[in-house]
Amino acid sequence: MHATHIEPATMLAQLEATKPERVTIVLLSGDLDRAMAAFIIATGAAAMGMQVTIFFTFWGLNAIRRKGAASSAKDWLRRMFGALNKGGAETLPLSRFHFGGLGTKMMQKVMKQNRMPGVPELMRTALDLGVRFIACTTTMGLMGITKDTLIEGVDQFAGVTTYLAEAKQSSVNLFI
Amino acid sequence: MQADVKLDTLGYFCPMPIILTSKKIKELTVGQVLEVISDDEGIKKDMPAWCETTGHEMVGLEEAQGASGRIYKAFVKKTK
């Protein structure tokens, strides 16, 4: 029997030479400022040629929900939760100085005046640059968020092992 | 310094100048120089860092006083 012999050291060196740097980000927060930080890092890394994956969980899922989409969760409790917890990248509140929406509106205005991209624009840029979006299925279930209410471009629906398998390969891991 | 292609990113904050650069550089051929014009001071550090990671060559940085602040010109040579 003949098997191709591969020198392990050569193999490893080749792998290391060709392996692109990877970044994984867990976005747990649904705050405008935190989501912006996550997307700025993601787009910056992608522009540097790094492979980027963002895992959306808990309130972070609000960033990838379509604005105003009604939850189609089966039980009324979760449907209710999905309805009360407003989603959409355009509607994320500031973590501080939200002031019932007034502070956030002011911040968005300042950003626009300064030609600073907001969360929706940064998110589109991230998708353009090949950043992968993964939605956490467990928290989707908990919060009454169904697949049909998420934006297009969500690459995978997965759980903690998918995250860990990717994080293990990454040189940059962030939890926001 | 002479550039083959110019990219105006005036008025854009981080990370837009770098993102626009990473898109624009694809349109150049190897050996050509891209001039990135920005009024974001961060580009002085960010562009060399981007070049180091991507393997393109930073061939120059010029700074001048514009009408409403400092203007930075970063010159990047496409290497691959």
Side-chain angles (χ1 to χ4, degrees), chain B residues 39-52:
Chain B
D39 51 6
D40 176 22
E41 196 187 343
I43 200 156
K44 280 162 68 178
K45 295 276 181 198
D46 278 4
M47 195 57 85
W50 180 78
C51 286
E52 207 186 304

Side-chain angles (χ1 to χ4, degrees), chain A residues 40 43-44 47-50 114-117 122 125 128-129, chain B residues 10-16 18-19 22-23 49-50 53-54:
Chain A
I40 287 175
T43 50
M48 288 170 94
M50 299 165 104
N114 287 294
R115 287 170 75 187
M116 217 154 163
L122 283 168
T125 310
D128 273 1
L129 293 171
Chain B
L10 289 172
Y12 285 108
F13 285 97
C14 169
M16 291 316 288
I18 294 292
I19 289 167
S22 74
K23 284 183 176 167
W50 180 78
T53 316
T54 55

